[in-house]
Amino acid sequence: MSTPNASLCLVLHNHQPIGNFDGVFEQAYQDSYLPFLDVFEPYDRLNISLHTSGPLMLWLAEHHPEYLDRLRLLVEAGRVEIVGGPQYEPILTMLPSRDRVGQIQAYAHWLQRNLGATPMGMWTPERVWESTLTSDVVDAGIQYTVLDDYHFKAAGLADDELTSYFLVEDQGRVLRIFPGSERLRYTIPFRPPSETIDYCREVAARHPGAVLTFGDDGEKFGTWPDTKVHVYDRGWLRSFFDALTENSHWLHTVTLQEAVQSTPPAGRAYLPDCSYREMTEWSLPVAAQDTLHDLQHEMENDPHWKSLQQFIRGGYWRNFKVKYDETNEMYSRMMHVSGRLADAEAAGRDSGELATVRDDLYRGQCNCPYWHGAFGGVYLPHLRNAIFQHLIAADNELDRIVGGGAVQADAADYNFDGQQEVRLSNNRLCAWVAPGRGGRMYELDVRDICHNLLATLQRRPESYHRQVLAGPSTSGDDEAASIHDRVVFKQADLDKRLQYDRYARKSLMDHFYDEDATLEAVMRGEATERGDFVELPFEAKLRRGSDRVQIQMRRDGNAWGIPITMTKAVTLSENSDRMQVTYLLENLPPGRPLHFAIELNFAGMPAGADDRYFSDVDGNRLGQLGEMLDLKNVRGLKLSDRWLGLDVDLAIGRESGIWAFPIETVSLSEGGFELVHQSVCVQPHWIVTGDADGRWAVQFELAATCEQAANQPAEKAVAQM
């Protein structure tokens, strides 16, 4: 009887996103990337396929070129296959076709220049797949990629059929796709190596010559919580490589390229729009996510569940743009820049100058802050800030190359919601206003430092908040737990910090509260909203002058059932870092005081540091930005961030009360549940009484003044592609 044989493709995906802290890169290098290479090098019978994302590879080239030297030797020895992919790790389905191809080819060129490797395969970021990607991926020069067996099961294929790669086709282009095993994702490295070997033996016995594929994050080997001790200190990885070596007479570890060259495809398949199982769940609305989880719990012991499970799917990745308005804001901003760049190319602008724009655009497409699951994602302010930093930088450069007026006002459906938004800009500020959504300002760019002051986040329910309310737990044994199974609190009493917002945390949000509303009630989102101005549409007019532009918005609404007309205008002048805002309330009832507040939010100015602080109009410090303020009879407030070199100065034309408080979320990250500072909310408020004509008005000025920043994001210093 012949000995069963099989091939095992070990595909590692190492990634750190654009905008992550330099210390995080270094820690991951010391905990995962370097020790993995140290353990792997002596096992000369083992071959792997390795994908290192563009942001991480650039950082390695700058900070640890010796790592690339070692990698180059392993490539030359045929032990490591370098896997390509889109340059800055975007979700390909959210990009225009031109940027999909461009990102993949740009990274392939870098790998050829710096590692002497011509990638034939690629890593598909987050394994988010749509069939129409096939033609773009093939046109970019790629022959094969890795998705999950979950994708294939969603197409109706059974485990026993997933014994090799498959051929997929679109518009006559053919691509090979390897089905990554979910079972191997959960045994490696969390279970004893023998479990992986036994599983491979079972498959080999049933299907001699089968190809099994493990494709997952390299950070599982040292960076994920508790894995460094488990994988290296306790010797799991050496034991695993020993087991593979001892069984190498029948279980051959090969690269994806070797598998394609030596093994025929298992057949053809057309895969549905899909991603890995957990991602489909995370993309669902919270109520649907809860229903799915409850159903899975109820059914897991049902004898029919194993047969039914492959037909139970979650949602669709693109709906993260619906689940989180903040994701759509980044996406629509990215699409605007991409369109401007395409227009500049079509107009024959200098390709060398546009290369800088393209690099910033591609960096602004990095996927991590565009979604949220077991990782911080959209909840991490520094990642959102980095996206906007690069998109604003690209926009600034396009203005320089293409030209335009010193001050501009434009209207279009910028965020794809079927309504017209307005963009007011000069060389210092760029404001994006949505008249159809309460006349709110949803983006405010400080162009000198490429910073969006409204890269905020709304506090909203998440499915995992049920776990927060239930309290922390442990894995229950000495083995490292999968990141999907851990319930760890990084701060105490997080269950008491869960607060939800009825509305987005943007600016020029207009509230009417009860006269006795308190700072605490407003901060917790418990103050009753008595007006209908926060979300409902305003009529808008644009006014353009030679040196200034203005949007004027008007709404006939009500508060407490009382008809009120509100007009608000935003004016931006040439070469100014100051924005003028004017409010007029009309038809106010005589003798009836109304409590009126204008909400402003400021993001990217973190709390908890002495160099980020409030001060009054006389320059007296009022505390750090994370503190609560309840000011009476004042005419302004300043927020300062010395690290950014930014002062945001609110100067009000009449005496006001001002509430200020932090917006904090309880979210899920790699290390557990954590409290994250998202923005500072500032609300000037008044007890309003109309004059003899039933009118009341206020004017204020918002200035964003920059000086030389005390620091810059580390990744900006990294060598260019």
Side-chain angles (χ1 to χ4, degrees):
M1 183 176 178
S2 62
T3 303
N5 68 92
S7 296
L8 175 63
C9 296
L10 295 174
V11 188
L12 265 67
H13 159 63
N14 294 340
H15 170 57
Q16 295 297 323
I18 290 292
N20 216 358
F21 301 119
D22 189 73
V24 175
F25 277 81
E26 182 65 36
Q27 194 68 54
Y29 174 75
Q30 297 295 340
D31 290 348
S32 285
Y33 316 135
L34 178 60
F36 185 93
L37 206 61
D38 288 341
V39 174
F40 172 74
E41 277 179 330
Y43 289 87
D44 55 12
R45 294 188 189 180
L46 307 183
N47 299 338
I48 64 170
S49 298
L50 177 64
H51 172 256
T52 305
S53 71
L56 176 57
M57 191 68 91
L58 284 175
W59 185 89
L60 289 167
E62 177 75 13
H63 294 85
H64 291 287
E66 70 280 4
Y67 177 88
L68 268 63
D69 292 339
R70 293 170 66 181
L71 204 55
R72 193 178 296 109
L73 292 175
L74 290 167
V75 171
E76 292 171 357
R79 293 196 51 214
V80 169
E81 174 195 10
I82 296 297
V83 176
Q87 185 173 17
Y88 291 111
E89 205 66 11
I91 300 291
L92 286 172
T93 62
M94 78 174 186
L95 303 189
S97 178
R98 60 181 177 265
D99 293 342
R100 296 173 184 173
V101 175
Q103 284 247 18
I104 295 169
Q105 291 181 337
Y107 195 34
H109 294 155
W110 191 94
L111 292 170
Q112 290 164 355
R113 291 195 306 270
N114 292 276
L115 287 177
T118 301
M120 308 305 292
M122 80 164 202
W123 183 262
T124 299
E126 302 302 334
R127 284 96 78 197
V128 176
W129 181 257
E130 295 176 11
S131 289
T132 55
L133 290 179
T134 301
S135 52
D136 287 334
V137 169
V138 173
D139 287 349
I142 296 298
Q143 297 180 10
Y144 47 86
T145 188
V146 177
L147 298 177
D148 284 56
D149 56 10
Y150 185 72
H151 295 69
F152 292 83
K153 292 175 184 178
L157 294 167
D159 274 321
D160 267 1
E161 297 177 271
L162 305 181
T163 56
S164 186
Y165 59 89
F166 283 74
L167 303 179
V168 303
E169 175 272 337
D170 177 61
Q171 301 183 54
R173 275 78 153 190
V174 177
L175 182 70
R176 299 158 184 84
I177 300 185
F178 287 78
S181 167
E182 181 172 332
R183 179 162 176 176
L184 292 180
R185 280 204 293 125
Y186 277 81
T187 62
I188 299 173
F190 305 113
R191 304 300 301 162
S194 58
E195 288 195 21
T196 296
I197 300 299
D198 290 345
Y199 172 64
C200 293
R201 185 179 287 111
E202 292 170 12
V203 175
R206 294 195 308 270
H207 304 283
V211 176
L212 296 93
T213 303
F214 164 83
D216 209 356
D217 299 347
E219 291 77 23
K220 294 171 73 168
F221 301 90
T223 301
W224 282 19
D226 305 325
T227 56
K228 184 180 181 184
V229 170
H230 172 67
V231 170
Y232 300 114
D233 297 350
R234 295 179 182 169
W236 185 94
L237 188 59
R238 290 188 188 279
S239 297
F240 181 55
F241 286 165
D242 286 342
L244 291 175
T245 302
E246 290 165 6
N247 289 276
S248 61
H249 59 286
W250 68 269
L251 182 59
H252 317 295
T253 61
V254 299
T255 64
L256 296 173
Q257 185 174 24
E258 290 171 325
V260 166
Q261 292 170 346
S262 63
T263 310
R268 292 186 302 120
Y270 288 91
L271 305 180
D273 298 345
C274 198
S275 54
Y276 57 86
R277 177 178 58 80
E278 297 91 347
M279 179 73 86
T280 70
E281 296 173 5
W282 297 329
S283 67
L284 288 171
V286 171
Q289 204 173 340
D290 288 344
T291 299
L292 178 59
H293 289 169
D294 292 343
L295 177 65
Q296 290 169 335
H297 262 311
E298 292 171 12
M299 293 289 294
E300 60 187 0
N301 295 319
D302 189 288
H304 301 294
W305 179 240
K306 188 173 181 181
S307 300
L308 289 172
Q309 191 172 12
Q310 78 178 88
F311 303 109
I312 306 297
R313 282 201 283 162
Y316 178 40
W317 189 89
R318 290 184 186 234
N319 278 317
F320 279 112
K321 294 183 287 185
V322 177
K323 187 173 183 177
Y324 302 105
D325 279 346
E326 297 85 356
T327 290
N328 190 58
E329 288 163 10
M330 289 183 286
Y331 166 75
S332 56
R333 189 72 162 90
M334 177 273 293
M335 290 293 289
H336 180 255
V337 173
S338 180
R340 290 195 69 196
L341 173 58
D343 290 344
E345 289 177 312
R349 300 290 180 176
D350 183 83
S351 59
E353 291 185 314
L354 293 182
T356 300
V357 177
R358 185 177 298 104
D359 187 68
D360 273 314
L361 168 65
Y362 285 0
R363 289 173 186 254
Q365 293 171 338
C366 182
N367 85 79
C368 298
Y370 285 89
W371 60 278
H372 176 60
F375 303 90
V378 71
Y379 275 87
L380 296 180
H382 63 287
L383 298 188
R384 298 196 309 272
N385 293 339
I387 293 297
F388 281 109
Q389 174 204 343
H390 289 292
L391 297 179
I392 295 167
D395 220 24
N396 289 348
E397 185 67 7
L398 282 167
D399 273 3
R400 186 190 67 79
I401 295 169
V402 176
V407 60
Q408 301 174 49
D410 303 290
D413 182 8
Y414 288 115
N415 62 9
F416 315 120
D417 66 350
Q419 303 186 78
Q420 295 275 297
E421 288 77 43
V422 172
R423 177 179 182 265
L424 305 178
S425 66
N426 62 15
N427 62 329
R428 310 294 295 279
L429 298 174
C430 185
W432 304 70
V433 181
R437 299 197 66 188
R440 70 182 59 167
M441 182 163 57
Y442 66 92
E443 181 175 342
L444 179 58
D445 302 333
V446 184
R447 303 184 77 170
D448 287 346
I449 58 172
C450 301
H451 183 77
N452 174 15
L453 275 168
L454 281 168
T456 55
L457 194 77
Q458 181 177 348
R459 300 175 296 186
R460 48 171 61 84
E462 294 286 358
S463 182
Y464 54 72
H465 285 171
R466 297 197 293 182
Q467 294 171 272
V468 174
L469 294 172
S473 66
T474 62
S475 62
D477 56 40
D478 292 333
E479 295 288 347
S482 166
I483 200 165
H484 306 292
D485 300 326
R486 303 170 80 254
V487 180
V488 176
F489 283 10
K490 296 176 73 173
Q491 293 98 7
D493 299 324
L494 289 182
D495 55 320
K496 300 174 184 175
R497 306 299 291 271
L498 289 175
Q499 298 172 7
Y500 303 130
D501 297 317
R502 285 169 288 171
Y503 309 109
R505 285 295 176 183
K506 297 300 179 183
S507 287
L508 307 186
M509 309 277 282
D510 309 315
H511 301 282
F512 285 93
Y513 298 127
D514 289 329
E515 194 169 338
D516 59 355
T518 63
L519 167 60
E520 290 74 15
V522 170
M523 183 178 71
R524 294 189 60 84
E526 296 171 352
T528 303
E529 188 69 46
R530 298 297 188 179
D532 66 357
F533 294 90
V534 183
E535 288 257 271
L536 294 181
F538 281 65
E539 298 174 357
K541 293 180 181 179
L542 281 181
R543 302 175 184 274
R544 299 179 177 91
S546 60
D547 62 349
R548 69 186 60 195
V549 290
Q550 182 186 82
I551 179 173
Q552 186 179 98
M553 295 173 283
R554 182 180 185 277
R555 171 170 171 74
D556 294 322
N558 78 82
W560 290 272
I562 302 167
I564 295 173
T565 297
M566 179 184 296
T567 303
K568 55 183 174 181
V570 180
T571 305
L572 190 61
S573 300
E574 179 180 346
N575 195 34
S576 175
D577 58 10
R578 299 171 184 273
M579 176 183 298
Q580 286 76 41
V581 180
T582 302
Y583 273 78
L584 173 64
L585 303 182
E586 298 177 277
N587 304 324
L588 295 174
R592 171 74 184 270
L594 305 179
H595 194 174
F596 174 57
I598 301 171
E599 178 176 347
L600 309 167
N601 282 277
F602 303 103
M605 307 175 75
D610 288 337
D611 61 348
R612 285 125 177 190
Y613 52 85
F614 294 110
S615 53
D616 63 20
V617 293
D618 296 318
N620 302 307
R621 290 200 184 188
L622 302 176
Q624 295 181 0
L625 293 183
E627 297 182 19
M628 296 167 51
L629 299 180
D630 189 354
L631 307 178
K632 314 286 187 184
N633 302 319
V634 296
R635 286 182 173 264
L637 181 68
K638 180 183 285 189
L639 294 77
S640 298
D641 186 327
R642 294 277 66 80
W643 191 88
L644 278 176
L646 176 65
D647 293 302
V648 177
D649 196 349
L650 175 65
I652 306 172
R654 64 190 305 160
E655 287 194 344
S656 313
I658 294 182
W659 290 320
F661 52 89
I663 301 299
E664 298 169 321
T665 55
V666 177
S667 57
L668 187 58
S669 71
E670 298 96 317
F673 295 101
E674 63 183 359
L675 192 69
V676 179
H677 177 93
Q678 298 294 346
S679 60
V680 178
C681 182
V682 176
Q683 291 197 28
H685 62 107
W686 306 265
I687 302 299
V688 169
T689 303
D691 62 15
D693 296 319
R695 296 157 59 97
W696 181 92
V698 66
Q699 183 173 23
F700 62 87
E701 188 174 74
L702 187 65
T705 305
C706 301
E707 58 185 43
Q708 181 61 43
N711 212 332
Q712 294 291 339
E715 58 91 15
K716 281 296 282 184
V718 174
Q720 295 290 308
M721 286 280 188

